[in-house]
Amino acid sequence: METTETLVRLKTEAPARIAAAASTEELDELESEIVGRSSPIAAGRRSLGQVPPEQRRDLGRAINDVAKELEALIAARRAVLASAEADAALADDAVDITLPSRIPSRGTTHLVQQVMDEVVDIFVAMGYTVATGPEAETEFYNFTALNFPPAHPTRLESDTLYLEYGDDPEGVLLRTHTSPMQARYMEQHDPPVYLVVPGRVFRRDQVDSTHSPVFHQLEGLAVDTDVTFGDLKGALDHFAREFLGTEIETKFIPHHFPFTEPSAEMHVYANGRWMELLGCGMVNPAVFEAVGYDPDVVTGFAFGIGADRLAMVRHGITDLRHLFDPDQRILEQYR
Amino acid sequence: MKFTLDWLGEFIDLPTTDPDEIAEALENLGHEVESWERIAHRFEGVVIGRVLEVGSHPNADKVRVTKVDVGDEILDIICGAWNFEAGAVVPVAKPGAVLQGDFKISQRKIRGITSNGMICSESELEVGEDEAGIMVLDNDYPDAAERLGQDFSTLLPADDIVFDVTITPNRPDCMSVYGLARELAAFYQIPLRPVDLEIDGGVASTSVTIEDTTACARFVGREVTGLTVGPSPHRIRSRLVAAGVRPINNVVDASNYAMIEFGHPTHAFDVDQLGDTVIVRRASDGETVTTLDDVERTLLPTDIVVADAARPVAIAGVMGGADTEVTDDTRAVFIEAAYWDPASTLLTSKRLGLRSEASARFERGMDPEFCRMAADRVAQILVETAGGTVGGVTDVYAERHVPVAIDLFMSEITRLLGIGFEPAEARSLLERLDFDVEGSDPLTVTVPSRRPDVHRPADLIEEIARLYGFENIPARLRFGTGAGLGTRERRIRSLRSVLVGAGYHEILGFSFIGAADLDALQLADDDPSRVGIRVANPLRDEEGVMRTTLLPGLLKAASANLAKRVDDVRIFEIGKVFLPGSGELPDQPDRLGFIAAGGSPPRWDAPGRGYDVFDATGLWDRIAASMRLDGCAVGPVRQAPFHPGRAVGIMRDGEVIGYVGEIHPAVAATHGLEGRVIAGEVQLDPVIEERAPWQFTPPSSYPPQVFDLAFEVKSDVPAGAILAAIDGAGRGLIEDRRIFDVYEGDPIPEGRKSIAVNLTVRAPDRTLSDDDVAPIRRAIVEAVESETGATLRGVV
């Protein structure tokens, strides 16, 4: 009888206490008290042995029903409390997400290098090979093989930096253009040649907003049995559109280089005016003869692009000196 | 070259006066117009005035007070020139005018008296070089007196424009007003006014002998007598000034004027100072001549001189001699117009470092057929401007010009330009440029004597293309058969991205350094980097030596950044160094260099941190791993400019390929760098050489065994020795070993340290049991103890 009364009381009182449990901790204690090992329910089950057999079955069922009902209430309450506690924990874990973020900082490739890589890629996509050559170069490859007459002004000590190396005081110089690689490459390879040469070049210039003793060029050379001036225009127009945008306007005007004939400059309309972007022309037969190609069999075109100038045109840099300034605040812009 | 539009107009009637259009035409012909300028812009606010009164200044001796009628008013002007009196007609810059050099004219007080403007000299107006006095207009412009108050520019050719055109070195024929007029005539298909320059005349009293006909193919001498030397008329002076040539006197000016007009340089000798025989010959060794610039020049037999019986009187094609120079007393001149060989002119002018307007032209090649006309044109001008009388002429034409004839096949034009031409079309284009053309296919083209640049079909095709217009040749996009980027280029790009990913910024440093930069590295006396190749003609001492190492540039870059308060400097460069080699050229290997200085500043989540050697070795490890440089070892090294105890050498195949570590504090201090600075310099080729593709290893799916070992060892035993011993004993099962503690101090005895290692062992094919691991562990401990003298402290 006692058990039955206890069950009735439990069944009446416990639900309110479960509902009032304020934390999973409190609920755990309550659970232990209501359905745990020392709870009246556990006690009731233990006492079933002394209950007469004819009552045992009904009493057992009654205990189980109450236990099930209360356990279900506890589980439901636990779910509610756990979810609230998890939410509270997350709320506690919140941070000021406007604080500066954390990632190892990244460096930059130099802008002129980026430009050279990009131009190289444009020509590689057109079927060219990449090669590079020596910066300290012989007079022969820099001038004579390229059909520069002995009187050409660029040969002067006022224009070209010579090195104290070897017996001939004018024998070794800092290359004034990437064009020597035309001759070097053709000497070592049979036609056809489709070549692009990025590199550093030198002139005896004081540093100012448009001059530097060190700057960068990309040389191009295409030699085959049927390369024409039309191909030259096609290749360079394509380059200009790829590099400066499809809307870019170009024009070719006559010029003179000893190693091309006819020679031209390509101008582009940029920043509100026409500006010279590169020099080019059909390879002079004298150059073919100097490298052992037969000018009656092959024709070709060559071009030289100023990489620094390209960078300046595209990125709004008006002073060449910025490109050679190691100021990291400048370098960080080269993203 | 500079010239005025008015001058050009003497030879052609251009269809336009728009300077932009003319500039575009010149550009389409291949003559780049640097600039053009309206002369009238130089004279805004300058009017014609007449001096009414000239009086003394009460408070100043050197200036006078004038009253000048400028048409609508009379201005009081103070003037420092004394070459005029009342009645003179003069240019007056009124207040508000702006003269050359941004010189603003305003009302101003001079010693108590107000001056309302300025009376101008020729040089102030940039119309002449005469600075001695003000420009008296009635001398040259008789009608100026009727134009008081009008703009000064109305006296000048209407709207005259100065063009500055760059002539490419292959076109000596265009180094003249007439030459460019000929080009424009061809472009616009308008007539070029023919000029009649030859004058008859008897035989000159001076005889000419050419001893070296290779150096001098032709020598014309024209005598002009009865001269009065004085200033040239304003028209000639102003054109010379516009052309950038300083007027001297009417004789010198005539020679310069004719040169700009027709291109061919001439030289006038004072007949009274010149013997009556002229010889063109090689100089004798050591012979001297004093040139017009009053410098005594010592000559060699490679130099050609014009001499009389007694001595050289000019260095051929380069500069005349002082002895026979035209002076104010000169009454008669012998005008030389010769064809000087380009190569020998160049040799002499270069050797003497004496480059003149004349030598620049002869070096490029003048027209041998034009010599007579060049001399006679000077004579004509002298008759007009110096009261001269034309005398006799001597014309020794030793090596007659042989015209160049070229066969031009139409197929050749197509081959080069990509479009076909009918013979008649090609012929008409060439004839516009005064080429003589015969036949049809091939055209037989005779090249004018003034065109030394044309000697093969390609040269003619350029002429055709130029006149036809490059814009009319259709473009075609063709693809090549090249091999693409290549391993080297690809590997360099990978390397660059490793450094960029590690936070380093690339610079492109100059390739030269100063000798002092090498000293600042405190290199050993026998360090190969000490031997830099010198630049023979550097612009600055700081650029006098080719760099032998990238470090000076990097140190300077770091220092400059710290000075600008950049707090975390990380910079790298990939570039060539230059070292003496055994071949024709210096060795010029590529290097990778880097530097880091300063450090990360404190921030909300982390304290600040500077750099030390482990950042340097860490960067190298990153590079080695990313570039898959197996078989590179590092070891301690003493190498300037690195810290003797905080740097490593990088070894590959037994050879040192570079160094990374901290910069020696003394070197850092010399460069103004505070705190620890790390840097490295490594040969590029071993880093970027091609590597076989890496091969996949499947990760083990079995669990690892993890345990720690702590060793006590003598303080000078490197941790690397312990790791090496561990690796050697690991039977290939060590997946990871990580030093997590290095400790010196109590309870470790003095002179010893504790190194604790965390080990992960794992087998690819099975779960390792405790029984498997025990012998491995034992083997590791034994190896470490026997190889490094360590003792096991116990399992931590």
Side-chain angles (χ1 to χ4, degrees):
Chain A
M1 257 351 268
E2 205 187 336
T3 304
T4 310
E5 280 167 25
T6 309
L7 279 177
V8 171
R9 197 170 62 244
L10 204 55
K11 197 180 167 183
T12 328
E13 293 172 2
R17 293 184 62 202
I18 290 167
S23 68
T24 48
E25 211 172 47
E26 201 182 320
L27 189 65
D28 287 346
E29 284 166 22
L30 198 58
E31 182 178 29
S32 163
E33 180 192 327
I34 298 170
V35 294
R37 267 179 291 173
S38 47
S39 67
I41 287 186
R45 281 183 177 139
R46 276 195 302 273
S47 68
L48 274 181
Q50 284 114 57
V51 174
E54 65 278 11
Q55 294 173 19
R56 194 177 296 162
R57 184 188 169 118
D58 287 346
L59 186 59
R61 186 172 288 149
I63 293 174
N64 281 344
D65 285 351
V66 173
K68 240 184 225 162
E69 189 185 326
L70 294 180
E71 275 165 1
L73 285 174
I74 288 167
R77 180 64 185 158
R78 177 169 283 116
V80 170
L81 287 173
S83 158
E85 281 170 13
D87 286 350
L90 287 172
D92 274 356
D93 204 27
V95 294
D96 175 1
I97 48 85
T98 64
L99 279 167
S101 63
R102 186 191 304 131
I103 181 87
S105 68
R106 197 180 155 77
T108 48
T109 299
H110 194 278
L111 177 61
V112 173
Q113 187 63 50
Q114 292 179 31
V115 165
M116 288 198 287
D117 288 351
E118 211 176 311
V119 176
V120 161
D121 290 344
I122 291 169
F123 283 98
V124 163
M126 279 195 268
Y128 287 60
T129 298
V130 185
T132 55
E135 290 171 8
E137 183 53 282
T138 62
E139 173 282 330
F140 176 79
Y141 284 110
N142 198 74
F143 291 130
T144 302
L146 296 172
N147 195 39
F148 278 70
H152 198 278
T154 308
R155 288 176 178 261
L156 294 176
E157 292 221 332
S158 57
D159 286 32
T160 295
L161 290 162
Y162 288 89
L163 297 184
E164 292 181 0
Y165 196 79
D167 300 329
D168 178 357
E170 295 189 357
V172 177
L173 46 77
L174 292 174
R175 66 176 176 187
T176 58
H177 45 182
T178 39
S179 312
M181 267 307 279
Q182 287 187 27
R184 284 184 177 275
Y185 194 88
M186 285 193 283
E187 272 186 353
Q188 282 162 16
H189 298 81
D190 288 330
V193 169
Y194 291 87
L195 179 68
V196 59
V197 183
R200 167 172 286 211
V201 297
F202 304 82
R203 301 268 164 94
R204 193 169 181 275
D205 281 329
Q206 293 277 10
V207 176
D208 65 23
S209 65
T210 55
H211 296 87
S212 166
V214 174
F215 56 107
H216 300 83
Q217 275 190 348
L218 292 125
E219 189 78 11
L221 177 70
V223 179
D224 214 328
T225 50
D226 60 343
V227 173
T228 69
F229 192 84
D231 295 324
L232 163 69
K233 286 183 67 177
L236 293 174
D237 274 345
H238 177 73
F239 151 71
R241 284 192 300 268
E242 286 278 284
F243 190 82
L244 292 169
T246 49
E247 300 299 312
I248 196 77
E249 269 188 89
T250 62
K251 71 176 178 186
F252 291 81
I253 63 167
H255 199 67
H256 167 71
F257 304 105
F259 43 106
T260 51
E261 189 86 9
S263 302
E265 276 181 349
M266 183 169 83
H267 291 217
V268 294
Y269 194 78
N271 304 331
R273 65 193 181 93
W274 284 102
M275 58 195 306
E276 178 213 330
L277 200 65
L278 57 89
C280 55
M282 299 303 291
V283 177
N284 193 308
V287 175
F288 285 144
E289 284 161 4
V291 300
Y293 280 16
D294 183 349
D296 290 333
V297 175
V298 293
T299 54
F301 66 75
F303 57 86
I305 306 174
D308 316 86
R309 191 182 178 82
L310 282 186
M312 291 171 76
V313 170
R314 198 169 67 172
H315 297 279
I317 298 168
T318 52
D319 191 325
L320 178 60
R321 282 169 289 204
H322 292 318
L323 292 179
F324 295 98
D325 189 341
D327 188 331
Q328 206 164 287
R329 295 167 302 168
I330 292 173
L331 305 177
E332 281 165 3
Q333 293 188 48
Y334 297 159
R335 307 238 155 239
Chain B
M1 87 163 258
K2 289 161 93 175
F3 60 93
T4 61
L5 182 57
D6 171 59
W7 201 346
L8 194 64
E10 287 192 8
F11 304 116
I12 41 174
D13 293 321
L14 286 167
T16 174
T17 54
D18 179 346
D20 278 328
E21 268 182 50
I22 297 166
E24 197 182 333
L26 285 166
E27 279 201 349
N28 281 324
L29 287 159
H31 307 297
E32 189 184 347
V33 177
E34 294 290 335
S35 64
W36 60 262
E37 182 195 9
R38 277 183 207 282
I39 288 185
H41 282 178
R42 298 178 186 171
F43 313 124
E44 272 170 30
V46 181
V47 299
I48 300 164
R50 185 205 294 276
V51 180
L52 300 178
E53 289 174 25
V54 182
S56 58
H57 190 298
N59 306 321
D61 294 341
K62 297 205 172 143
V63 297
R64 300 186 293 178
V65 181
T66 66
K67 283 193 185 301
V68 184
D69 178 0
V70 292
D72 52 351
E73 58 184 326
I74 292 174
L75 299 174
D76 290 329
I77 298 177
I78 297 175
C79 182
W82 293 73
N83 68 324
F84 67 100
E85 290 306 330
V89 178
V90 295
V92 179
K94 302 212 289 190
V98 180
L99 301 186
Q100 57 148 326
D102 211 20
F103 176 26
K104 293 188 180 69
I105 303 299
S106 58
Q107 222 178 37
R108 65 191 193 104
K109 262 193 182 159
I110 297 171
R111 298 258 176 136
I113 295 185
T114 301
S115 182
N116 296 295
M118 186 174 85
I119 307 178
C120 304
S121 71
E122 280 191 2
S123 78
E124 280 156 353
L125 293 176
E126 239 183 317
V127 293
E129 288 276 334
D130 191 349
E131 309 170 12
I134 58 114
M135 183 178 183
V136 179
L137 296 176
D138 30 0
N139 292 349
D140 283 312
Y141 300 99
D143 65 339
E146 283 118 57
R147 303 189 183 200
L148 299 188
Q150 291 184 20
D151 283 349
F152 169 70
S153 60
T154 60
L155 292 176
L156 303 170
D159 221 11
D160 209 358
I161 288 160
V162 181
F163 286 95
D164 185 358
V165 180
T166 302
I167 305 299
T168 54
N170 61 324
R171 294 302 301 275
D173 64 302
C174 289
M175 297 174 83
S176 66
V177 177
Y178 196 69
L180 287 174
R182 182 187 291 112
E183 292 273 296
L184 286 167
F187 182 85
Y188 285 117
Q189 303 189 59
I190 53 174
L192 175 69
R193 221 154 281 152
V195 286
D196 182 15
L197 301 176
E198 275 197 36
I199 311 171
D200 291 339
V203 175
S205 55
T206 310
S207 72
V208 173
T209 310
I210 302 176
E211 285 186 1
D212 191 320
T213 57
T214 310
C216 180
R218 187 179 187 186
F219 189 108
V220 173
R222 165 65 78 176
E223 287 166 344
V224 181
T225 59
L227 297 170
T228 308
V229 175
S232 296
H234 177 71
R235 185 181 59 92
I236 286 189
R237 287 207 315 275
S238 66
R239 280 186 175 176
L240 288 177
V241 169
V245 175
R246 192 159 65 94
I248 309 283
N249 59 46
N250 47 13
V251 179
V252 176
D253 292 354
S255 173
N256 285 334
Y257 188 91
M259 178 175 73
I260 294 165
E261 193 176 35
F262 291 108
H264 202 113
T266 58
H267 181 70
F269 297 95
D270 186 331
V271 166
D272 294 333
Q273 308 304 321
L274 183 70
D276 48 14
T277 57
V278 161
I279 307 151
V280 176
R281 61 170 171 83
R282 292 193 168 274
S284 49
D285 202 350
E287 198 171 12
T288 60
V289 59
T290 300
T291 41
L292 286 174
D293 51 3
D294 285 326
V295 179
E296 190 185 75
R297 313 276 177 177
T298 305
L299 303 174
L300 297 178
T302 48
D303 301 321
I304 307 297
V305 292
V306 178
D308 63 12
R311 82 291 198 211
V313 292
I315 301 174
V318 178
M319 196 175 273
D323 286 358
T324 52
E325 183 180 2
V326 171
T327 65
D328 290 350
D329 302 325
T330 298
R331 292 173 298 117
V333 291
F334 180 73
I335 301 156
E336 164 211 309
Y339 178 81
W340 300 112
D341 174 55
S344 78
T345 311
L346 174 74
L347 192 68
T348 296
S349 72
K350 222 171 146 177
R351 188 183 72 74
L352 295 174
L354 185 58
R355 304 183 77 80
S356 59
E357 193 60 46
S359 72
R361 289 159 190 263
F362 288 121
E363 284 165 23
R364 289 166 167 78
M366 284 289 106
D367 180 0
E369 293 287 305
F370 195 77
C371 295
R372 171 71 184 271
M373 286 181 272
D376 284 355
R377 174 60 181 150
V378 177
Q380 279 181 4
I381 299 170
L382 288 177
V383 169
E384 282 171 39
T385 66
T389 305
V390 176
V393 66
T394 306
D395 183 351
V396 183
Y397 201 164
E399 295 283 335
R400 199 158 268 283
H401 172 73
V402 181
V404 174
I406 303 168
D407 281 345
L408 178 63
F409 287 90
M410 294 307 105
S411 58
E412 189 61 18
I413 305 180
T414 310
R415 199 167 81 94
L416 215 55
L417 299 184
I419 46 167
F421 279 85
E422 290 301 318
E425 194 181 5
R427 177 187 193 124
S428 122
L429 289 167
L430 289 169
E431 282 175 346
R432 271 157 65 183
L433 289 162
D434 288 350
F435 287 82
D436 274 334
V437 187
E438 281 175 29
S440 66
D441 194 0
L443 300 173
T444 301
V445 183
T446 306
V447 180
S449 55
R450 63 175 175 273
R451 293 297 303 270
D453 59 313
V454 178
H455 43 87
R456 55 200 310 169
D459 304 326
L460 291 174
I461 294 169
E462 173 168 64
E463 295 302 291
I464 289 170
R466 196 161 71 92
L467 270 202
Y468 180 73
F470 285 178
E471 72 276 13
N472 297 320
I473 299 172
R476 172 175 81 167
L477 185 54
R478 90 183 270 135
F479 285 81
T481 55
L485 211 52
T487 303
R488 183 184 166 83
E489 193 66 21
R490 221 184 326 268
R491 294 272 290 167
I492 292 179
R493 289 188 183 188
S494 301
L495 174 63
R496 198 175 275 122
S497 73
V498 171
L499 284 143
V500 168
Y504 283 73
H505 297 276
E506 185 177 26
I507 59 166
L508 299 175
F510 280 5
S511 305
F512 7 75
I513 53 178
D517 295 334
L518 289 174
D519 294 338
L521 295 183
Q522 305 185 6
L523 301 174
D525 288 342
D526 61 348
D527 192 305
S529 296
R530 278 230 180 246
V531 190
I533 295 162
R534 303 193 72 83
V535 179
N537 55 334
L539 278 169
R540 310 184 308 148
D541 282 349
E542 299 92 307
E543 299 171 357
V545 181
M546 297 309 293
R547 62 182 179 189
T548 55
T549 152
L550 303 181
L551 292 172
L554 291 166
L555 284 161
K556 285 185 180 179
S559 168
N561 272 295
L562 289 188
K564 286 174 179 156
R565 300 293 189 92
V566 173
D567 43 33
D568 185 1
V569 181
R570 274 177 285 175
I571 281 172
F572 78 99
E573 176 166 17
I574 294 172
K576 290 187 186 303
V577 299
F578 300 81
L579 304 165
S582 50
E584 186 180 26
L585 288 175
D587 286 343
Q588 24 199 326
D590 289 287
R591 298 258 179 97
L592 161 68
F594 69 87
I595 195 163
S600 46
R603 40 176 282 156
W604 66 274
D605 58 341
R609 191 175 84 76
Y611 292 102
D612 66 24
V613 57
F614 299 107
D615 294 296
T617 50
L619 182 60
W620 170 253
D621 288 343
R622 168 74 59 83
I623 291 167
S626 302
M627 302 301 289
R628 293 185 287 117
L629 304 177
D630 315 321
C632 276
V634 300
V637 72
R638 297 177 80 90
Q639 169 70 36
F642 292 97
H643 190 304
R646 286 173 165 258
V648 297
I650 297 160
M651 255 78 66
R652 186 170 165 77
D653 300 333
E655 216 177 302
V656 177
I657 61 163
Y659 305 94
V660 305
E662 288 179 26
I663 290 291
H664 194 294
V667 175
T670 306
H671 289 85
L673 290 163
E674 284 175 17
R676 295 188 189 276
V677 176
I678 62 162
E681 182 168 28
V682 187
Q683 293 172 22
L684 191 68
D685 284 347
V687 176
I688 61 163
E689 71 186 8
E690 189 165 8
R691 312 289 298 165
W694 60 270
Q695 297 300 313
F696 180 71
T697 313
S700 169
S701 49
Y702 299 92
Q705 290 262 12
V706 181
F707 57 95
D708 294 343
L709 295 172
F711 297 99
E712 186 189 305
V713 67
K714 275 174 69 183
S715 294
D716 60 1
V717 172
I722 291 175
L723 292 178
I726 291 172
D727 292 345
R731 300 180 190 176
L733 296 174
I734 297 180
E735 186 176 86
D736 191 21
R737 77 285 195 283
R738 178 168 46 86
I739 294 177
F740 66 91
D741 189 44
V742 178
Y743 177 73
E744 277 177 274
D746 196 45
I748 310 292
E750 180 81 17
R752 296 181 73 80
K753 63 184 172 187
S754 160
I755 291 183
V757 188
N758 174 271
L759 289 115
T760 304
V761 295
R762 193 186 325 234
D765 53 356
R766 65 186 195 281
T767 301
L768 292 176
S769 67
D770 289 353
D771 289 348
D772 291 325
V773 172
I776 298 171
R777 187 177 174 284
R778 206 159 41 240
I780 288 171
V781 171
E782 276 167 18
V784 172
E785 288 182 342
S786 71
E787 287 172 31
T788 70
T791 52
L792 184 66
R793 289 185 67 207
V795 180
V796 183

